[in-house]
Amino acid sequence: MVRVRIAPSPSGNLHIGTARTALFNYLFAKKTGGEFVLRIEDTDLERTSQEYVKNIFDSLKALGLNWDEGPDIGGPYGPYSQSERFNLYPEFAKKLLLSGFAYECWCTPEELEAEKELATQNKQAYVYSRKCIGAPRGEGAPAIRFNVSKTQKAFHESSMLTFNDMVKGELTQDTDLIGDFVIMKSNGTPTYNFAVVVDDMLMKISHIIRGEDHISNTFKQILIYEALGEALSAPEFVELYGPPQPLPQFGHLGMILAPDRSKLSKRHGATAVSDFVEHGYLTEALVNFVALLGWSPSDGQEIKSVDEIAADFRISEVSSSNSIFEYDKLNWMNSQYIKKMGIETLKAALRPYLAKYDLNELTDAQYTRLVEITREPLTVLSDITSDAAYFFGAGVELEPEAKDALNGEVLAEFAKQAADWDFDEEALHEKLDGFRAYFKEQGVKPKDTMWALRAAITGRTRGADICAVMAILGKEKVLARVEKAKSQAAL
Ligand code: GLU
């Protein structure tokens, strides 16, 4: 049975990179009929906040990446938040102490700092001196360190550790360079590498798909698996946790870089899923875009639903290199998704971005028409806030270009004629045809006539179909705006 997991740390809102990792795990589970587990890695209580936990839940749900087991819905291998599993880690650490795969370390921060200092002075990579192996008990509570070389020797012939990565192929590390790392801090909390292995083992995770920044951790984790394997075969553990799980398969994804090839960060634009959503990116577009960061559809058709992607997804075909997060491409994709939206869905989706206006000024039919005529150029939903500004309120501010486009004669004549017009869209089309023709005879280009009207009515020189705009605004508002613009026009 394939069991995969996403294990975010709630020290920030769900990052788009974590969303991609979640998606690839989800796709792998979908494709293989496996299970997708959500585990919250909140061992670092100082950096954890419930607000971030909620953001992670909400963002994953919004993206449609629903989990089969998790902190909110439980499951057979819970609890699914590490902070609720604190009682588990010490017993496993104790097993490792007893088998000699771990040892207590009494070194003070100052002593460790001095060791590091010395390594820097000697231009050497820092590796812990292991001076606590066999050392007498020190003061206070000890940390617990993992005995790397003892584990390596017990399970391998040389110091070289190799595994076959699902994405990157064979990866090797000289374990002599790893150094005995801490698995339990002196305050009794587990470190990331230890907690993750205990959890992945107990949760029967079969495949671990995550960013390549974890490759160095993977070597440590494989050693911990090997050392713990024995412990988990002990009858008392088998009774509690079932038969031990074989070493999971690992797949490391290339990183997501900003267009300038640096690490994607806030200075490049939004990075949290919720920020993208707030700016008006559709979650369907986000998921589709993120899937293409490392994966390509076999038919070259890039616009695809999650289900279509899942059917076509093969982890072995995921690119092992880094992907560039092209905001322009995301914008294009989002605009494609907006174009495909049903009118009622789009009306509802745009409402929050029109909150600063009084939508009660419009009937439902008028709002529908507004959305129909303004949707075309939308890249993100929030574009509507400025694009539709002139539909609301009594007057408009004239943009400088619009001021230049005003034509007093055109406006005066319009005010005179339009007072008798029926402000129905069809009728307006006809009337404006006549109006343009009238001024054409006077030597005013039809384009300039319309420009002058648009400028007066909307304050802009570009925008939606002007007949529809006038019909939505109604005669009274249109004439009032034209009247005001007349006084601003250079005659
Ligand atoms: N909590 C870790 C992170 O957010 C999980 C890494 C893993 O998948 O093991 O990076």
Side-chain angles (χ1 to χ4, degrees):
M1 172 58 132
V2 164
R3 286 178 54 81
V4 291
R5 71 350 180 237
I6 180 73
S9 306
S11 54
N13 289 335
L14 187 78
H15 192 275
I16 193 80
T18 314
R20 197 248 329 224
T21 307
L23 173 64
F24 281 22
N25 276 286
Y26 175 87
L27 292 171
F28 186 65
K30 277 253 146 190
K31 179 77 189 232
T32 52
E35 278 154 357
F36 175 54
V37 176
L38 169 63
R39 181 171 72 231
I40 295 292
E41 302 212 322
D42 52 356
T43 45
D44 188 346
L45 293 174
E46 265 166 37
R47 295 179 62 209
T48 290
S49 107
Q50 281 316 303
E51 200 184 307
Y52 295 141
V53 173
K54 184 173 172 341
N55 181 277
I56 290 168
F57 286 177
D58 292 348
S59 302
L60 288 172
K61 274 187 199 150
L63 294 171
L65 305 178
N66 298 314
W67 46 99
D68 301 301
E69 295 164 30
D72 54 337
I73 52 173
Y77 303 100
Y80 292 89
S81 291
Q82 283 184 333
S83 59
E84 292 173 40
R85 302 171 65 81
F86 274 155
N87 61 324
L88 282 170
Y89 309 113
E91 62 172 321
F92 288 93
K94 206 156 122 201
K95 277 276 169 197
L96 293 183
L97 283 175
L98 289 174
S99 55
F101 290 126
Y103 57 90
E104 289 177 328
C105 172
W106 310 87
C107 290
T108 62
E110 293 74 28
E111 283 174 282
L112 296 172
E113 208 37 59
E115 282 192 1
K116 279 184 201 158
E117 192 84 356
L118 197 63
T120 314
Q121 275 170 19
N122 296 338
K123 297 197 167 41
Q124 281 170 338
Y126 171 67
V127 175
Y128 172 61
S129 65
R130 321 180 83 212
K131 67 181 181 194
C132 279
I133 294 186
R137 285 182 72 88
E139 292 283 308
I144 299 177
R145 280 186 189 271
F146 189 74
N147 192 331
V148 172
S149 62
K150 179 172 166 124
T151 312
Q152 178 68 16
K153 284 196 187 100
F155 297 95
H156 304 274
E157 275 163 17
S158 79
S159 68
M160 292 303 185
L161 182 59
T162 298
F163 71 96
N164 201 2
D165 190 275
M166 287 186 285
V167 176
K168 295 194 177 273
E170 204 165 272
L171 297 175
T172 301
Q173 153 98 49
D174 184 348
T175 53
D176 281 349
L177 303 177
I178 292 180
D180 291 351
F181 53 92
V182 171
I183 54 173
M184 292 292 287
K185 297 183 210 166
S186 56
N187 67 6
T189 59
T191 57
Y192 156 72
N193 277 309
F194 188 55
V196 106
V197 173
V198 170
D199 291 347
D200 285 337
M201 271 188 150
L202 298 186
M203 292 180 183
K204 314 269 183 228
I205 299 302
S206 63
H207 295 76
I208 295 178
I209 300 167
R210 59 188 171 193
E212 68 177 26
D213 49 335
H214 283 290
I215 290 178
S216 58
N217 287 325
T218 299
F219 291 103
K220 295 177 182 167
Q221 291 174 16
I222 290 174
L223 292 172
I224 301 175
Y225 270 101
E226 291 173 336
L228 274 179
E230 244 171 53
L232 277 171
S233 313
E236 72 268 26
F237 279 92
V238 174
E239 200 177 305
L240 274 174
Y241 307 115
Q245 190 68 7
L247 185 69
Q249 273 185 271
F250 293 90
H252 290 94
L253 309 169
M255 301 308 285
I256 301 176
L257 303 180
D260 64 6
R261 306 216 160 228
S262 65
K263 189 169 176 259
L264 190 67
S265 75
K266 283 198 180 124
R267 76 191 156 87
H268 300 107
T271 52
V273 169
S274 47
D275 288 341
F276 283 102
V277 171
E278 204 172 297
H279 285 144
Y281 288 93
L282 303 176
T283 49
E284 295 87 345
L286 273 176
V287 163
N288 192 162
F289 173 75
V290 157
L292 299 172
L293 298 172
W295 172 82
S296 322
S298 54
D299 62 1
Q301 272 296 79
E302 294 202 313
I303 304 263
K304 285 223 167 12
S305 69
V306 175
D307 287 343
E308 288 169 324
I309 295 169
D312 196 19
F313 185 79
R314 273 167 296 272
I315 188 75
S316 58
E317 287 173 9
V318 165
S319 158
S320 64
S321 33
N322 295 335
S323 316
I324 306 291
F325 195 98
E326 303 281 6
Y327 285 91
D328 289 346
K329 182 168 175 180
L330 172 61
N331 286 341
W332 167 79
M333 192 164 265
N334 202 59
S335 70
Q336 296 302 306
Y337 273 86
I338 292 179
K339 287 189 206 328
K340 287 201 306 190
M341 278 171 101
I343 186 73
E344 289 304 322
T345 319
L346 182 56
K347 275 166 66 184
L350 290 173
R351 265 179 192 276
Y353 301 94
L354 295 169
K356 68 186 228 188
Y357 308 118
D358 183 7
L359 267 177
N360 293 325
E361 288 179 27
L362 305 177
T363 63
D364 185 56
Q366 285 173 322
Y367 179 48
T368 305
R369 192 68 189 126
L370 180 156
V371 173
E372 280 170 357
I373 61 172
T374 49
R375 67 183 296 171
E376 177 58 30
L378 296 179
T379 299
V380 286
L381 297 175
S382 60
D383 287 342
I384 197 73
T385 314
S386 65
D387 285 7
Y390 57 79
F391 287 96
F392 302 94
V396 285
E397 281 287 319
L398 297 189
E399 284 175 0
E401 261 194 346
K403 233 175 229 168
D404 294 341
L406 296 177
N407 175 323
E409 275 171 54
V410 168
L411 297 180
E413 185 61 25
F414 178 85
K416 205 161 89 193
Q417 289 194 24
D420 297 329
W421 293 355
D422 182 5
F423 266 57
D424 159 89
E425 205 176 316
E426 283 289 299
L428 282 168
H429 262 292
E430 223 169 88
K431 293 289 185 196
L432 282 173
D433 278 347
F435 189 75
R436 267 195 300 263
Y438 170 83
F439 272 100
K440 196 173 169 199
E441 272 173 31
Q442 322 265 320
V444 184
K445 283 188 203 144
K447 197 181 80 189
D448 290 341
T449 306
M450 295 315 289
W451 235 25
L453 289 181
R454 179 184 291 285
I457 295 166
T458 68
R460 304 175 187 187
T461 51
R462 265 177 291 267
D465 180 293
I466 195 67
C467 295
V469 172
M470 286 190 197
I472 292 170
L473 284 169
K475 192 191 287 188
E476 202 180 315
K477 270 191 193 168
V478 168
L479 288 182
R481 289 184 189 183
V482 167
E483 205 53 50
K484 181 154 177 250
K486 234 169 66 184
S487 58
Q488 292 173 270
L491 283 168

